[in-house]
Each structure stands twice: as C-alpha cells, then as structure tokens.
Amino acid sequence: MASVDNKGDEEEPFVVGAASVDNSETLRNHTKDVHILSSAFLLIFLAYGAAQNLETTLNTKDDMGTISLGILYVSFTFFSLIASMVVRFMGSKNAVLLGTSGYWLFIAANLKPTWYTMVPASLYLGFAASIIWVGQGTYLTSTARSQARDYHLHEGTVIGKFNGEFWGMFASNQFVGNLISLAILRNGAGGTTSGTTLLLTVFLCSMTLGTILMCFLSKRVDRGEEGPKDSSFGLCSSLISLLKSVITPLLDVRMLLIIPLIAYSGLQQAFVWAEFTKEIVSPALGVSGVGGSMAVYGAFDAICSITAGRLTSGMTSITWIVSAGLSLQAVVFLWILKYSSTSGVLGILYPLLMAAMLGIGDGVINTQLSALIGILFKHDTEGAFAQLKVWQSASIAVVFFLNPYISLQAMVAIMLAALVLAAGGFLVLTIQIEKAFSSPS
C-alpha cells in the first residue's frame, strides 16, 4: 500500500526527513491562509453587514436605502456572469483584494447619502462583490485541495473543515458588527448625524485593516485559473471564454438541481435584512434593538457554521445537515405567519429566538453550499462559484425590490414556496449522486 501511495519512489527512505520538514511548512502555509482570509473577511464584513442591516432604517427618504440595496444586488447579479473570467485573469488573491474597494466606497458614500453618491457606489459594489466572492470561493477551495493532496487526506473532509472555519468567522461579523452599532448608536444618540458618522468612521477603519491583512495571503494558482491565460487571441477568444463560463455550468444537471437551493439561500438572507428587522424586530425592540437581534443572529450563525463544517465529510453528511437547517427555518416562517407582537419579556424574547433559529439555518446552508460546490465541480471552480453568486444575488435583489410593495405574510409565503422547491431539488440531487456511487463502474 505504501508503494502505491508514493508512486513507487525508490528514494523514499533517503528523503523522508526532508519531506517531513517540507510538509510541516506546507501545512502551516495552508492553514495560515485560511486564518488570514477568514480574519480579513470578518473585519470587512462586520462593517458592511451592520451598515446593510441599518440601510433601510437610516436612509428612509424616498426609500433610498432599500432602492440602493436593490440596485446593488442587480449589479451584483449582472457582474457575477463575468466574474469567473475576471478572477481567472487576475488570480483569486488579486480579485479579493480589488473587491474590498467596493465595500469601502459604499460605506464612505453613506457618510453623505444622496442619490448621486449611493447609486454609483451601489453599482460599483455590485462588480466588487462579484469578484471578491468568486475569488474567495476559488481561493478557499484551492487551499483545501492543496492540503488534501499534500497530506493524502479526504478532500471532502478538508473542504468542509476549511469552509466551516471561514463561514464561522464570517458569520460572527453579524455579532461583532451589530454589537458595535448597538453601542455607538445607543450611547451616541442613536439615529443622530454625529452617532451615524462615528459608526461609519469606525467601520471604514475596520475595512482598511481587513484589506491590509489580505495582502499577506499566499498567491495560489489553481488548475482552474491556469486555463484561460491564453487571452492574447483577442476579443473573440475572450467572448468565447465568457460564454463558456456562463453556459457550461448550466449544462450540468447537478448545477440545475442546486440552483433552487442557491436562490433560497439568497432569499432567506435578504428576508432577514429587509423584512425581519423592519417588521418583527423594530416594532418590538426599536431601531437600536436591530443591532442586538442581529448580534444574536450572527452568534448562532457563526457557531453552527463551524460545527457544520467539522461534521462535513461527504454527500451523506451534507444531506442531513442541510435538511436540518431547512426544517428549522420552515418552523420560523410558519411561526411568523401566526405571530403577533406581545408585551413584556416574551415580546423581547420571541424576536431574539427567531433570530437565533434563522441564524442557525443560514450558517448551515452557507457552509454546506460552498462545500458541495467545491466537491462536485472540481474542473470549473470559478464558474460554479460564479453561478452561486448569480442566483444568490438575483434572489436578494428580488426581495429588496418587492419589499415596499407586498405584505409580510405574502413574503413569508414566497419564502416557504422557495424552501419547498429548494428541498425538492436537493433531494433529487442526493438520490442521483447516491445512484452514481452505488452503480458498478
């Protein structure tokens, strides 16, 4: 067995000591990059996430906050179509670095929120978000594959573990960022110009630190990034490459079956940001209470992301974990349909309990979706993660544009229908994969 693993290398006894040194250095390098990437995203998105939660309550004039977010996610959807080509051309590290600029400009625009600042910032953030997320998915998956290849580990387990760490750290941005906004807006005369300016300035400093931290990432060349480098053939070659990156994943039945779950993941996130905070939390806890409830949401999101990542070992574990997350969120939506505000302790407790349950579901879905795509689409990682962001951002945009025009009950009904469709597609995918593995080769 040893001779098979080492490809018959006759010199193994002689180099084993050197190999162990090289492997320990490689191990530190892989895990270091996961730690850096996760910490940098935490610093950037604790600022953006908290600002986004407050966007619809702070910029209420002419629904500027809601419409700006809608424009952002329409732009995000469009640019996600070309993001895989951009990431291949730039490399995943450079893509995530450039992507941070859009988030910085969006927060800066909120210091002087007018249509002339918010709309351009939202449009550019759509581009920046598309490349930072496709770059993140590609970089993290490449890192996990390198770790599995160097140490002969089970690839699915390593991808799950790395995604668990990343999404656990990422989800904690809701906890940290919203605690900061709660403290500043409450003690700094919440809602006043001075309190908001102080909060946004703190957020800009956090984003700057996150961007600096990203500069220390190791440069990686994934196999998927090496392909399109022959872009010297001109515009025609670039257009063909673009069409392939958009269309090819859609010809894969597995991707078609995952798309409903991807779309639902965006819908449930936007529901929390736009509907839940405005219709459930604000009436019960006030505007300053939005930060507290979203901190609870983020804390449970982070804990379950890490836990789900460590439990991920393959398709069977992913199936059970996703099913549990979807079931929990279905309970929340059914509860909201019959929910009415109450006074006293229960009036405070119920929104916080809903936030915790929604956070658990979000942590499970995000972690498992990224692991699933990394496992199933090895030969076109950038294209697969681009599809993830196309459908996710499109569904988020739908919620923000529908938000001013439909009732909470109608939105919850849409969420339940999307959840059932997502669960059905995922179940069919699971059955097909199980059949593929059980059939004789």
Side-chain angles (χ1 to χ4, degrees):
M1 293 296 291
S3 62
V4 174
D5 291 339
N6 292 288
K7 295 186 171 49
D9 190 346
E10 297 175 359
E11 312 236 12
E12 181 190 352
F14 179 76
V15 298
V16 68
S20 64
V21 173
D22 291 342
N23 279 351
S24 64
E25 291 176 357
T26 303
L27 175 62
R28 285 198 299 272
N29 185 43
H30 295 326
T31 55
K32 179 197 72 174
D33 285 334
V34 178
H35 301 333
I36 291 175
L37 186 69
S38 303
S39 300
F41 267 70
L42 170 61
L43 289 168
I44 291 165
F45 282 90
L46 71 85
Y48 173 72
Q52 180 178 252
N53 292 335
L54 294 168
E55 191 72 27
T56 57
T57 54
L58 291 178
N59 296 330
T60 55
K61 185 178 179 181
D62 298 325
D63 284 323
M64 182 167 62
T66 302
I67 293 173
S68 295
L69 290 173
I71 292 171
L72 189 166
Y73 283 101
V74 168
S75 173
F76 193 172
T77 303
F78 172 77
F79 283 112
S80 291
L81 295 172
I82 63 172
S84 61
M85 187 175 69
V86 175
V87 172
R88 285 192 185 105
F89 178 77
M90 295 185 65
S92 53
K93 177 186 174 179
N94 292 333
V96 294
L97 269 171
L98 178 60
T100 62
S101 63
Y103 292 90
W104 200 96
L105 288 173
F106 184 80
I107 297 296
N110 275 274
L111 288 169
K112 190 75 173 177
T114 68
W115 291 110
Y116 297 105
T117 58
M118 295 304 300
V119 172
S122 297
L123 287 170
Y124 178 67
L125 178 53
F127 165 73
S130 70
I131 62 170
I132 199 175
W133 281 112
V134 173
Q136 175 273 330
T138 303
Y139 189 93
L140 191 63
T141 303
S142 173
T143 305
R145 287 176 182 161
S146 297
Q147 175 80 351
R149 183 173 60 249
D150 290 349
Y151 285 90
H152 309 289
L153 300 172
H154 185 268
E155 189 175 280
T157 301
V158 180
I159 290 175
K161 181 181 177 182
F162 282 11
N163 273 286
E165 176 178 337
F166 174 83
W167 287 107
M169 287 282 284
F170 177 80
S172 63
N173 80 75
Q174 289 284 357
F175 178 72
V176 179
N178 285 294
L179 281 184
I180 292 172
S181 66
L182 177 64
I184 292 178
L185 293 183
R186 175 173 288 178
N187 297 326
T192 65
T193 302
S194 59
T196 303
T197 301
L198 175 60
L199 178 66
L200 294 174
T201 303
V202 170
F203 285 166
L204 287 173
C205 292
S206 177
M207 285 186 164
T208 303
L209 289 174
T211 303
I212 294 171
L213 190 58
M214 277 189 184
C215 295
F216 294 96
L217 288 170
S218 302
K219 189 171 183 179
R220 294 187 176 276
V221 182
D222 187 55
R223 289 174 187 173
E225 291 179 27
E226 291 176 346
K229 296 289 183 179
D230 58 345
S231 55
S232 57
F233 290 104
L235 180 61
C236 183
S237 176
S238 298
L239 289 174
I240 292 173
S241 176
L242 173 60
L243 288 173
K244 283 181 66 178
S245 68
V246 173
I247 296 173
T248 302
L250 295 176
L251 300 178
D252 193 323
V253 175
R254 297 172 302 173
M255 177 59 74
L256 296 178
L257 291 172
I258 296 173
I259 283 174
L261 183 61
I262 293 173
Y264 172 74
S265 72
L267 287 173
Q268 58 90 22
Q269 287 178 1
F271 176 84
V272 172
W273 301 331
E275 289 284 345
F276 180 71
T277 53
K278 185 171 73 173
E279 301 291 345
I280 303 295
V281 177
S282 290
L285 307 178
V287 174
S288 62
V290 171
S293 67
M294 293 306 290
V296 172
Y297 171 86
F300 279 87
D301 198 332
I303 293 168
C304 288
S305 294
I306 295 171
T307 304
R310 292 189 177 278
L311 293 175
T312 303
S313 59
M315 197 64 204
T316 301
S317 60
I318 290 174
T319 302
W320 283 106
I321 294 169
V322 169
S323 299
L326 291 176
S327 299
L328 193 61
Q329 289 199 332
V331 170
V332 177
F333 294 136
L334 292 171
W335 183 5
I336 290 175
L337 283 176
K338 298 183 177 182
Y339 176 75
S340 58
S341 298
T342 58
S343 58
V345 176
L346 291 178
I348 298 173
L349 182 61
Y350 285 160
L352 297 178
L353 180 58
M354 289 181 189
M357 295 169 71
L358 289 168
I360 292 170
D362 183 65
V364 163
I365 292 168
N366 278 326
T367 305
Q368 301 308 296
L369 262 179
S370 294
L372 185 63
I373 288 173
I375 291 170
L376 294 182
F377 301 97
K378 298 179 181 180
H379 303 296
D380 188 14
T381 307
E382 299 95 337
F385 277 104
Q387 290 294 325
L388 170 66
K389 290 304 168 184
V390 166
W391 296 98
Q392 211 172 49
S393 55
S395 58
I396 291 172
V398 167
V399 172
F400 281 119
F401 280 120
L402 286 179
N403 176 261
Y405 306 108
I406 67 174
S407 66
L408 174 64
Q409 287 72 22
M411 185 65 78
V412 172
I414 292 173
M415 297 300 301
L416 285 168
L419 188 152
V420 171
L421 183 62
F426 184 69
L427 178 61
V428 174
L429 173 68
T430 302
I431 293 171
Q432 283 201 352
I433 292 175
E434 289 295 330
K435 284 183 178 178
F437 276 107
S438 61
S439 62
S441 55

